Amino acid sequence: MDISDTSLARWLPDWLQRCAENTPDHLAVKCGAVRWSFADLDQRANRLARQIATLGVQEGSRVALLATNGLPYVACVHALTRLGAILVPLNTRLTPQELCWQLQDVKAMLLLSDSRYASLADELQLPDIPHTTLIADVAGNVSLEAIPVAESECSLRSLIDLNATQVIMYTSGTTGHPKGVIITYGMQWWNAIGSALNLGHQPDDCWLACMPLFHIGGLSILMRSVIYNISVVLHERFEAEAINRAISEDGVTIISVVAVMLQRMLAALDADHKQYPTVLRCVLLGGGPAPRPLLEDCARRAIPVVQTYGLTESCSQAVTLSPADALRKLGSAGRPLPPVQLRIMRDQQPAQPGEEGVIYLKGPTITPGYAERPEATTQAFHDGWLSTGDMGYLDAEGYLYVLDRRSDLIISGGENVYPAEIEAILLAHPDVEEVGVCGRADVQWGQVPVAFIRQRTGSDVQAASLLAYAAERLARYKHPKAIYFVEHLPRNSAGKLVRRELIKLLPV
Amino acid sequence: MDISDTSLARWLPDWLQRCAENTPDHLAVKCGAVRWSFADLDQRANRLARQIATLGVQEGSRVALLATNGLPYVACVHALTRLGAILVPLNTRLTPQELCWQLQDVKAMLLLSDSRYASLADELQLPDIPHTTLIADVAGNVSLEAIPVAESECSLRSLIDLNATQVIMYTSGTTGHPKGVIITYGMQWWNAIGSALNLGHQPDDCWLACMPLFHIGGLSILMRSVIYNISVVLHERFEAEAINRAISEDGVTIISVVAVMLQRMLAALDADHKQYPTVLRCVLLGGGPAPRPLLEDCARRAIPVVQTYGLTESCSQAVTLSPADALRKLGSAGRPLPPVQLRIMRDQQPAQPGEEGVIYLKGPTITPGYAERPEATTQAFHDGWLSTGDMGYLDAEGYLYVLDRRSDLIISGGENVYPAEIEAILLAHPDVEEVGVCGRADVQWGQVPVAFIRQRTGSDVQAASLLAYAAERLARYKHPKAIYFVEHLPRNSAGKLVRRELIKLLPV
């Protein structure tokens, strides 16, 4: 007997609207000195949605957003939901060239920016993609520059379709060019529920967001806020002293960080001879393998660090260590969240406990694929399982240890840097014959990219000149920190670059 | 762009199995002196599933269970999940006649009982529905009487299909005969998630279940245990002193009760000059409108009572008062759980705030319908909304006040009693011409059923004889507590019995 009516579990009452109905006066978001209740946020999202609608944005429209963490960002995310439009968050660290490529690739119909990025956005000058600026006044009202709020009531949605695309978020890969990961509302919902089942959910929770909202680790905090009906303390950027102050003064109970941030926070804490209050119940540590000394230091200080492993394709956390296991399984990323299935594959077979292999994921928090990249989607999935490309193993109790992110991925201060993208840029230089990029260990950033180059016969280019060439074309965090000239690059029998061999060529 | 792959959100890793993997040693259920960890429960469910499979039970088989709260019940619920079979929980208070009717109506292929109800089950003697007894030994092992555990590994499920039917649970209605409400795994999941978002979820929660597991309010606690990965303290029956002792000694954080239970618990507490420990964070009070003095008494004592409104068709809670509103909205059932939509309809139109009307519900926690009763299903649903038949209104802030359960429903000590069912029995008596049943207020039970009877001309039957007639054919809680002989019954112009007018005929 199939009595399924899947439509029942497909449409949920709008999350923000429910928060505004249930707890209109509860703090939704604090940013700087401005505090918005859920009623404030709800009203501002509706108002902004009506303005955006006057620009022709409707269901399925792709709207790019170039902005720093702030109230305009938050209002815009929810305004687009009310219109059924798709958010394309742009990494503010990208070069104009990189931004233009993404805007065109995603076929954005509108580019929104905040005031800080207004001139950069104007500079892009894409004929088919108009730019409008989001203006915030001192009272925290957000509106579109020079666009009157429509008098007419355009129809705003009061239900969320879990199957609908909320976001297209670009992430690079082995192919050189970034791909747009489809993130549905359902992925956000299931991810938030999985996280709450693992970490617990307290109605008075307050989540500090200091990671960029254009990354999934930041954006998903905004979604958890409205799914859980809890407060967010939003920081424009990471600044260790300000974060520590907020933890002490704003009743923060959960914070998401990457290792380099946590290291700086601890250093600032020591400089002030302080410690964190006990209401801070979870320091969610993602964005790549954490140095063991850092974990041990936190354990000594009784800082409740919870390691997690996730990626854009899994809508942030996929595997998380439960607080109860934090010490017993120090160094592990934990176990898959309740809705997620995990397996390690080695030579097309499930690996045995302790055996290394590629991490595969499956479940309702995993992306259905890459926007307009059917081949990339087909490549990434095997029998419904996403191949993450990352290496790891499970211990006898099924806890995941991530050995390395995919061999070609460099994680620098929590940002993913893809060698193929840097290689493609350098290869375009007239004096470069071959190039291979890999990560070099770095005390401050975890890793930084460096490039190995074989020059064209007869050329005599200088490293400084190549570095300047890359710097013009790549976001700062992708700039190679060194160029090494070599006679030949390590390649396998098929002629394919073997990047892990590059690491062995690094000067000791 | 429809990128939906609903199958991803349809299959979840088996809840109990995940608990056994994540926290094998964590207490799953304590019943009397026996404590089962999640690993224990997982193993016992698998073992029992293999035994049950030898009786021919497979996916979709309907297996009735006549048992009191206990470990055999818990093992059986999860064993049937592993087989994809459907549980039909039988109310142990029913008469043999009522049990036979339900077993035949649901076309059960097997009747399981515990030892206590083995002789009652044997008595039923239904030729097509064999009976087998679940035996628990002192160590808490549960097995089927005289059935060896199969040596061969039958295939057990490791994924749960949210669209699949878990349970068919009978509930009466206006029609006289009970109907089987379809309860899917998805309803349980969404209900548990909705409840956790509202009440909070703490990994060390411990939920006390003293309501019968054959009712949704009891059964859903077993589901929450494996969905949340938390402990259950299971009591065989409600006994106020034992419950109070468990709350003090077993670390109970949440308990589900009906008003009559809570009243007795408070009386026992006073007799012992005790109060509840602060770890008891939620007393979830359902099963009909709560007397205001009881709520005020609890408020004075700082007992965290949370009122809720729900029904079998909504898989328990549908509307719940959040703990933060408990005092401010005393007497309200609260607001719909996050996945649930609620509206009040009056003359086919949504009612205004403050205006009374019928309560309608919609969402993934609501039943898809009644098993093999397409007309009843069609009648109950309007445009995807379930008409509960219960009356209520929303205040200006959208909080639900339940005025009365459906006019024809009597709630006696938390059990639903349907006048039509009692009327149908009495009407079959040769001396009865007309009958009308309604509820009479009762200090102990909230309400008790009483019957108004017009005798056949010339007959001279005694009340005692009619009461004895009903007692033979109806479960004890449905026995009329009084018979009133009348000359005529209140009927509307269409000749339909107006039960609310009966109440006015009661002697003051």
Side-chain angles (χ1 to χ4, degrees):
Chain A
M1 177 177 50
D2 188 5
I3 44 67
S4 62
D5 181 359
T6 48
S7 65
L8 283 175
R10 176 172 168 176
W11 298 87
L12 291 185
D14 181 89
W15 304 327
L16 169 58
Q17 190 181 319
R18 270 295 166 94
C19 293
E21 288 166 3
N22 288 346
T23 59
D25 302 327
H26 192 286
L27 176 68
V29 56
K30 174 175 188 283
C31 186
V34 182
R35 300 167 64 90
W36 280 358
S37 68
F38 279 111
D40 293 336
L41 177 55
D42 184 58
Q43 286 156 16
R44 280 159 173 84
N46 277 345
R47 189 169 175 276
L48 185 58
R50 292 207 177 86
Q51 272 196 312
I52 293 174
T54 63
L55 300 176
V57 171
Q58 54 189 10
E59 179 180 342
S61 298
R62 298 177 177 188
V63 178
L65 177 58
L66 183 66
T68 193
N69 284 7
L71 294 170
Y73 210 113
V74 181
C76 188
V77 166
H78 295 294
L80 294 179
T81 294
R82 297 279 158 93
L83 296 169
I86 297 170
L87 170 70
V88 182
L90 298 173
N91 187 326
T92 56
R93 296 171 187 160
L94 299 185
T95 62
Q97 201 174 342
E98 291 169 315
L99 290 170
C100 284
W101 185 88
Q102 273 187 30
L103 284 162
Q104 288 172 316
D105 184 69
V106 83
K107 299 184 183 66
M109 64 91 70
L110 177 66
L111 169 60
L112 297 176
S113 78
D114 60 9
S115 358
R116 171 179 309 187
Y117 288 98
S119 59
L120 173 58
D122 278 337
E123 223 177 272
L124 302 179
Q125 297 272 11
L126 293 167
D128 297 332
I129 308 177
H131 163 234
T132 304
T133 307
L134 295 163
I135 305 286
D137 67 17
V138 281
N141 291 306
V142 174
S143 53
L144 290 180
E145 191 176 37
I147 308 282
V149 176
E151 290 296 312
S152 69
E153 284 265 319
C154 77
S155 132
L156 299 180
R157 284 141 181 266
S158 61
L159 290 174
I160 284 177
D161 178 359
L162 296 186
N163 285 351
T165 301
Q166 179 199 16
V167 172
I168 297 176
M169 188 173 275
Y170 276 77
T171 177
S172 295
T174 47
T175 52
H177 266 308
K179 302 186 292 280
V181 178
I182 293 171
I183 294 174
T184 65
Y185 287 97
M187 291 166 64
Q188 297 278 14
W189 171 266
W190 286 89
N191 188 280
I193 297 306
S195 177
L197 288 175
N198 183 51
L199 300 179
H201 158 59
Q202 299 178 359
D204 58 356
D205 268 333
C206 175
W207 205 308
L208 193 148
C210 58
M211 297 205 290
L213 295 176
F214 54 74
H215 282 330
I216 193 64
L219 184 66
S220 62
I221 297 174
L222 296 190
M223 293 302 105
R224 290 191 196 116
S225 162
V226 292
I227 293 172
Y228 301 160
N229 207 336
I230 63 164
S231 309
V232 165
V233 172
L234 181 61
H235 280 233
E236 203 172 285
R237 79 186 80 77
F238 177 81
E239 205 263 291
E241 290 76 13
I243 304 292
N244 283 347
R245 206 158 47 238
I247 290 174
S248 294
E249 294 170 9
D250 289 336
V252 170
T253 61
I254 310 184
I255 180 172
S256 301
V257 290
V258 298
V260 61
M261 293 178 175
L262 186 53
Q263 277 163 333
R264 293 195 193 172
M265 286 160 59
L266 295 185
L269 204 64
D270 286 342
D272 280 353
H273 306 288
K274 290 205 169 148
Q275 48 189 13
Y276 292 130
T278 52
V279 296
L280 179 70
R281 68 181 185 87
C282 175
V283 176
L284 193 62
L285 180 60
R292 208 180 159 90
L294 173 65
L295 297 175
E296 287 167 350
D297 186 17
C298 288
R300 269 193 304 274
R301 297 164 184 255
I303 295 174
V305 169
V306 173
Q307 270 214 89
T308 180
Y309 161 75
L311 46 169
T312 306
E313 285 87 340
S314 69
C315 201
S316 80
Q317 295 175 65
V319 180
T320 302
L321 197 62
S322 78
D325 288 327
L327 283 177
R328 192 170 72 89
K329 292 288 181 179
L330 198 77
S332 166
R335 299 182 45 84
L337 295 185
V340 176
Q341 298 174 63
L342 162 69
R343 64 185 190 192
I344 305 289
M345 296 294 282
R346 187 187 171 94
D347 304 333
Q348 327 293 334
Q349 295 295 322
Q352 298 300 309
E355 237 184 13
E356 296 173 20
V358 178
I359 301 168
Y360 280 70
L361 298 171
K362 187 176 183 177
T365 67
I366 309 300
T367 184
Y370 302 98
E372 270 79 66
R373 295 274 195 290
E375 323 77 46
T377 303
T378 308
Q379 268 185 11
F381 286 88
H382 305 272
D383 196 20
W385 290 79
L386 171 72
S387 166
T388 65
D390 295 327
M391 304 295 293
Y393 69 91
L394 299 177
D395 71 9
E397 292 181 88
Y399 286 72
L400 176 67
Y401 290 76
V402 180
L403 289 171
D404 245 325
R405 300 305 291 254
R406 42 203 289 176
S407 50
D408 57 340
L409 175 62
I410 301 164
I411 303 185
S412 189
E415 286 278 1
N416 290 353
V417 178
Y418 294 87
E421 193 178 354
I422 304 174
E423 288 163 4
I425 293 291
L426 287 170
L427 212 48
H429 189 281
D431 290 317
V432 172
E433 179 73 31
E434 277 186 79
V435 57
V437 168
C438 71
R440 187 179 72 190
D442 185 89
V443 175
Q444 184 172 13
W445 301 107
Q447 282 183 297
V448 292
V450 298
F452 291 82
I453 282 173
R454 185 163 77 82
Q455 296 189 54
R456 277 193 201 284
T457 316
S459 92
D460 186 24
V461 68
Q462 298 300 303
S465 153
L466 289 174
L467 290 173
Y469 180 85
E472 268 173 45
R473 291 163 175 84
L474 288 166
R476 181 183 298 270
Y477 65 92
K478 302 176 191 167
H479 294 178
K481 293 300 172 293
I483 300 276
Y484 303 105
F485 292 104
V486 292
E487 290 301 312
H488 59 88
L489 289 170
R491 295 191 179 272
N492 66 14
S493 54
K496 207 176 161 227
L497 182 67
V498 184
R499 291 203 185 86
R500 62 175 181 277
E501 296 290 326
L502 287 176
I503 295 161
K504 300 184 184 161
L505 300 180
L506 284 169
V508 187
Chain B
M1 175 181 47
D2 187 3
I3 44 67
S4 62
D5 181 358
T6 47
S7 66
L8 282 177
R10 176 172 168 176
W11 299 89
L12 291 185
D14 180 89
W15 304 328
L16 169 57
Q17 190 181 320
R18 269 296 167 96
C19 293
E21 288 166 2
N22 287 346
T23 58
D25 302 326
H26 192 286
L27 177 68
V29 56
K30 173 175 189 282
C31 187
V34 181
R35 301 167 64 91
W36 280 358
S37 69
F38 279 111
D40 293 335
L41 176 55
D42 184 59
Q43 286 157 15
R44 279 157 173 86
N46 277 346
R47 189 167 175 278
L48 184 58
R50 293 208 176 87
Q51 272 197 312
I52 293 175
T54 62
L55 301 176
V57 171
Q58 53 189 11
E59 179 179 342
S61 298
R62 296 176 178 189
V63 178
L65 177 58
L66 182 66
T68 194
N69 285 7
L71 294 171
Y73 210 113
V74 180
C76 188
V77 166
H78 295 294
L80 294 179
T81 294
R82 297 279 158 92
L83 296 169
I86 297 171
L87 170 70
V88 182
L90 298 173
N91 186 326
T92 55
R93 295 171 187 162
L94 298 185
T95 62
Q97 202 173 343
E98 291 169 315
L99 289 170
C100 284
W101 186 88
Q102 273 187 31
L103 283 162
Q104 286 171 317
D105 185 69
V106 83
K107 299 186 182 66
M109 65 90 71
L110 177 66
L111 168 60
L112 297 176
S113 77
D114 59 8
S115 357
R116 173 180 305 188
Y117 288 97
S119 59
L120 173 57
D122 277 337
E123 225 176 88
L124 302 179
Q125 296 273 10
L126 292 167
D128 297 334
I129 309 177
H131 163 235
T132 304
T133 307
L134 295 163
I135 305 288
D137 66 18
V138 281
N141 291 306
V142 174
S143 53
L144 290 179
E145 192 176 37
I147 308 281
V149 175
E151 288 299 310
S152 68
E153 284 265 317
C154 78
S155 130
L156 300 180
R157 285 142 180 266
S158 60
L159 289 173
I160 284 178
D161 177 359
L162 295 186
N163 286 350
T165 300
Q166 180 200 15
V167 172
I168 297 177
M169 189 173 273
Y170 276 77
T171 177
S172 295
T174 49
T175 51
H177 266 309
K179 303 187 291 283
V181 178
I182 293 170
I183 294 174
T184 64
Y185 287 96
M187 290 167 65
Q188 297 278 15
W189 171 266
W190 286 89
N191 187 280
I193 297 305
S195 176
L197 288 174
N198 184 50
L199 301 179
H201 158 60
Q202 299 178 358
D204 58 356
D205 269 333
C206 175
W207 205 307
L208 192 147
C210 57
M211 297 205 291
L213 295 177
F214 54 73
H215 282 332
I216 193 64
L219 185 66
S220 62
I221 298 174
L222 295 191
M223 293 302 106
R224 290 191 196 114
S225 163
V226 292
I227 293 172
Y228 299 161
N229 207 337
I230 63 165
S231 309
V232 165
V233 172
L234 180 62
H235 280 233
E236 204 173 283
R237 77 186 80 78
F238 177 80
E239 205 263 292
E241 290 76 14
I243 304 292
N244 284 347
R245 205 158 46 240
I247 291 175
S248 295
E249 294 170 9
D250 289 337
V252 170
T253 61
I254 310 183
I255 180 172
S256 300
V257 290
V258 299
V260 62
M261 292 177 175
L262 185 54
Q263 278 163 331
R264 293 196 193 170
M265 286 160 60
L266 294 184
L269 204 62
D270 286 342
D272 280 354
H273 307 288
K274 289 207 170 147
Q275 48 190 11
Y276 291 130
T278 53
V279 297
L280 180 69
R281 69 180 186 85
C282 175
V283 176
L284 193 62
L285 180 60
R292 207 179 159 89
L294 174 64
L295 297 175
E296 287 167 349
D297 185 18
C298 288
R300 268 193 304 275
R301 297 165 183 253
I303 295 174
V305 170
V306 174
Q307 270 214 87
T308 180
Y309 162 74
L311 45 169
T312 306
E313 286 87 340
S314 69
C315 201
S316 81
Q317 295 176 67
V319 181
T320 303
L321 197 61
S322 77
D325 288 327
L327 283 178
R328 193 171 72 90
K329 293 287 182 181
L330 199 78
S332 166
R335 298 182 44 82
L337 295 186
V340 177
Q341 297 175 63
L342 162 70
R343 66 186 190 191
I344 306 288
M345 296 294 282
R346 188 187 171 97
D347 304 332
Q348 327 294 334
Q349 294 293 321
Q352 296 301 307
E355 237 183 11
E356 296 172 20
V358 177
I359 301 168
Y360 280 71
L361 297 172
K362 187 176 181 175
T365 67
I366 310 300
T367 184
Y370 301 100
E372 269 81 64
R373 294 272 195 294
E375 324 77 47
T377 303
T378 307
Q379 268 185 12
F381 286 88
H382 305 271
D383 197 20
W385 290 79
L386 171 74
S387 166
T388 65
D390 296 327
M391 304 295 293
Y393 69 91
L394 299 177
D395 71 9
E397 292 180 88
Y399 285 73
L400 176 67
Y401 289 77
V402 180
L403 289 171
D404 245 326
R405 298 306 292 254
R406 42 202 293 176
S407 51
D408 58 339
L409 175 61
I410 301 164
I411 302 186
S412 188
E415 286 278 1
N416 290 352
V417 179
Y418 294 86
E421 193 178 355
I422 304 174
E423 289 162 4
I425 293 290
L426 287 170
L427 212 49
H429 189 281
D431 290 316
V432 172
E433 178 72 33
E434 278 185 77
V435 58
V437 168
C438 72
R440 189 179 72 188
D442 185 90
V443 175
Q444 184 173 11
W445 301 107
Q447 282 183 296
V448 293
V450 297
F452 292 83
I453 282 174
R454 185 165 78 81
Q455 297 189 51
R456 279 193 200 283
T457 318
S459 95
D460 186 23
V461 69
Q462 299 299 302
S465 151
L466 290 175
L467 290 175
Y469 180 85
E472 269 172 43
R473 291 162 176 82
L474 288 165
R476 180 184 299 270
Y477 65 92
K478 302 177 191 167
H479 294 178
K481 294 300 171 295
I483 301 276
Y484 303 105
F485 292 103
V486 291
E487 291 302 310
H488 60 88
L489 289 170
R491 295 192 179 271
N492 67 13
S493 54
K496 203 173 163 229
L497 182 67
V498 185
R499 292 203 185 86
R500 62 175 183 275
E501 296 290 325
L502 287 176
I503 295 161
K504 300 182 185 163
L505 301 179
L506 283 170
V508 186

